[in-house]
Amino acid sequence: MNVLVTRAIPEPGITLLKQTCTTVDVSPHDRVLSSDELLAMSRGRDGLLTMVTDPVNAQLLDACPTIRAISNFGVGTNNIDIPECTRRRIGVANTPGVLTDATAETTWALIFAAARGVIEGEIAVRTAQWPGWGPPQYLGMGITGKTLGIIGAGRIGQRVAEMSRGFNMRILYHSRTVRRDFERSTGARFTDLPTLLRTADIISIHTPLTARTRHLIGASQLAMLKPTAILINTSRGPVIDEAALVESLREKRIFAAGLDVYEYEPELTTGLRDLLNVVLLPHIGSATVETRTKMALMSAEHLISMLQGRRPACPVNPELW
Ligand code: DGY
């Protein structure tokens, strides 16, 4: 078994691969590979352990006909052309579950930071721009007792809602599926998207990126938000029309936003980084030592299973087994 790991991952994952595979090559570059580099390094492989930043498309698969399995180091698989893989009987797996808490925690970090102007205040103190305490300074929005709107009630969306328990919040959600257990355990109420956008004080996006969710939040949806609303995105950047969001934040039509992901990642839409009413994180949703180690082990296990002809624990195209 000859596999490529497209970027260094925590060592336990590599060790596991080396115990089973004849050849395990890890990209020597500590950066996203270009399409050409990815293609050149993937030739002749049986399996790939890919990052969520690696586009795996028909062009790559055409050039690398020996590939039988692709294990994505992450839960989102929008970087992989799944129908194309399925058509070629290439197994695809991902790493759901192990990153739920970490991503939900990052979401709350963004909620707090955006609601209370944490970054703006920190910059002022650090750059000696803070003149000392004063009643009208850095006034934020409270969180306790407010309405939390969850868009996409999968594992992460549900966990974010559960974590609100200590803040006595009302929870609204909009999702493809009505989740009765979630409603029972959190008191969450299903609503249509416009109602959620018009009603919620804090809106947090947790939907996968698909053709249906691309620009789910555009100018007309942003116009529905309250002027006091806070918009958080830890899912995928293109779910929000970033140019429309910049406009909305610049015109102060909403209170603040918190982003971990970007439409043209790692590029930012012009104007976004000049705004102080947005908190900008570098896609660190799952970035804890524990979580990334679990993701490494899990993605290595999945790759080995698929290459040995077994169904991985987390198949993305389960119809192949
Ligand atoms: C994922 O798992 O999809 C994250 O975005 C990567 O940490």
Side-chain angles (χ1 to χ4, degrees), residues 61 70 80-92 316-321:
L61 299 174
I70 297 169
I80 302 177
D81 187 335
I82 305 295
E84 207 40 65
C85 288
T86 307
R87 198 173 68 73
R88 296 162 193 250
R89 304 203 60 76
I90 297 170
V92 181
V316 175
N317 47 2
E319 59 272 39
L320 289 191
W321 287 276

Side-chain angles (χ1 to χ4, degrees), residues 52 74-76 99 235-236 283 286 292 295:
V52 295
V75 68
L99 46 71
S235 64
R236 285 293 181 266
H283 201 152
S286 64
R292 288 277 163 92
M295 289 165 70

